[in-house]
Amino acid sequence: MTHSRDTPAPRANDGLITFGETMGLITAHTVGTLEYARDFTFGIGGAESNVAIGAARLGAPVTWIGRVGDDAAGDLVGRRLRAEGIHTMVVRDTSFTGLMVRHRRAAAVVHVDYHRAGSAGSRLTSRDIPVDTIRRAAILHLTGITPALSASALQAAWDAVVTAKAHGVLVSIDVNYRSKLWDRTTARCELRRLVAEADIVFAGIEEAQLVLDSEEDAPDSLAAGLTATGPDEAVIKTGAQGCTARIDGAIHKQPALSVPVVDTVGAGDAFVAGYLSERLRGADILQRLRTACAMGAYAVSVPGDCELLPTRGELETFLTTGDVLR
């Protein structure tokens, strides 16, 4: 295994730190079965790096940590993140960079094949995440994907949380349950433990039900249930309806913006990026939720996971005019 870290000049030490697996992403552009597709693009995709890119575009100082293979996909991951001004700490591994293949079987049906078992990203360990880097951050953001990758990645997540809490760093968790990575019983146990240690938690309706082992579907009740486990801030993402949050004991609702839907992939990550970037700026609750919903709306208005997420100026134009093209 080769350890080499890509380290451009560090950003301010009061920003966002996140880590996880980012994979190469092959996307077919024609609708139909994969065997008939002839037009593809090659990019990157990963929940944590999507959040990192979204927050960096809005001006937040961001650090991303992860393992990639010594291959073309691994090279691309590092280049794309550095190009966004993100402080990257990349470990080059002898295993391969994971790969996603995405196609649309029908106009509204996205199918993704994952090739990640034994990948470099799944071999993440606590040693890859320096204690000093965590304790200098303002927010540590994790998703429920990373602890599902492997025993070492699960331990890395827990060690990072323990370090963050010991140094007064806010812990943010996006539940992001992936049924292809672990079964519901195991996921519920681990995710509930992680959520209980978080300061901020994000979840969809079904993800909140999973964590709480509940059939309740009212966002207000689910948000209250999540905060009862530990976090001060619980945000329930409700897609086209916007979001419901329980923050410091009070319920807040923010409607979604009405936009043409082009591609829903990555919208939840964009939402989180919007919320956390405003949290770093010290914005009030209304502004946090407003920006989060605007980022989610912008994300579904354009194709791709993260490539076309807006800068702060573009987001303000979007909020003012509803136009993603100006």
Side-chain angles (χ1 to χ4, degrees), residues 5-44:
R5 298 183 186 275
D6 297 315
T7 51
R11 305 288 296 272
N13 292 329
D14 59 353
L16 174 69
I17 178 175
T18 188
F19 59 87
E21 181 173 34
T22 296
M23 295 174 283
L25 172 59
I26 298 173
T27 304
H29 291 288
T30 53
V31 176
T33 58
L34 191 60
E35 64 182 301
Y36 295 112
R38 296 294 180 269
D39 184 18
F40 298 86
T41 56
F42 185 58
I44 66 171

Side-chain angles (χ1 to χ4, degrees), residues 122-276:
S122 70
R123 290 157 55 137
L124 185 81
T125 75
S126 298
R127 294 188 303 274
D128 300 329
I129 307 162
V131 170
D132 285 349
T133 301
I134 296 175
R135 68 187 183 193
R136 289 198 304 264
I139 300 175
L140 167 69
H141 177 67
L142 304 175
T143 78
I145 298 172
T146 300
L149 295 176
S150 65
S152 66
L154 173 62
Q155 189 61 53
W158 271 109
D159 288 347
V161 168
V162 169
T163 299
K165 292 181 73 66
H167 292 89
V169 176
L170 292 176
V171 175
S172 165
I173 303 285
D174 188 350
V175 173
N176 242 333
Y177 170 63
R178 294 291 186 269
S179 60
K180 290 185 178 181
L181 291 176
W182 51 1
D183 63 84
R184 292 181 64 85
T185 301
T186 304
R188 178 181 295 114
C189 176
E190 294 296 345
L191 290 171
R192 187 176 178 90
R193 290 175 62 219
L194 282 168
V195 166
E197 298 298 326
D199 299 287
I200 307 166
V201 61
F202 302 92
I205 295 287
E206 293 182 359
E207 292 169 337
Q209 290 173 329
L210 171 68
V211 171
L212 297 173
D213 195 14
S214 170
E215 295 182 0
E216 174 63 65
D217 61 2
D220 300 40
S221 298
L222 290 171
L226 289 175
T227 57
T229 70
D232 293 323
E233 305 176 27
V235 184
I236 306 297
K237 297 178 283 187
T238 52
Q241 285 70 53
C243 68
T244 295
R246 184 177 177 90
I247 300 174
D248 297 329
I251 290 290
H252 306 268
K253 294 181 181 291
Q254 180 68 32
L257 282 72
S258 179
V259 294
V261 176
V262 173
D263 186 353
T264 60
V265 176
D269 301 328
F271 179 100
V272 171
Y275 186 94
L276 294 180

Side-chain angles (χ1 to χ4, degrees), residues 4-8 64 68 74-75 77-79 82 86-92:
S4 66
R5 298 183 186 275
D6 297 315
T7 51
W64 178 87
V68 299
D75 292 342
V77 170
R79 285 200 305 271
R82 290 194 301 273
I86 294 167
H87 178 209
T88 62
M89 304 184 73
V90 178
V91 179
R92 302 305 290 254

Side-chain angles (χ1 to χ4, degrees), residues 257-260 298 301 315-326:
L257 282 72
S258 179
V259 294
Y298 200 106
S301 301
L315 186 67
E316 290 302 323
T317 297
F318 176 56
L319 284 168
T320 302
T321 67
D323 187 354
V324 301
L325 300 177
R326 296 190 181 191

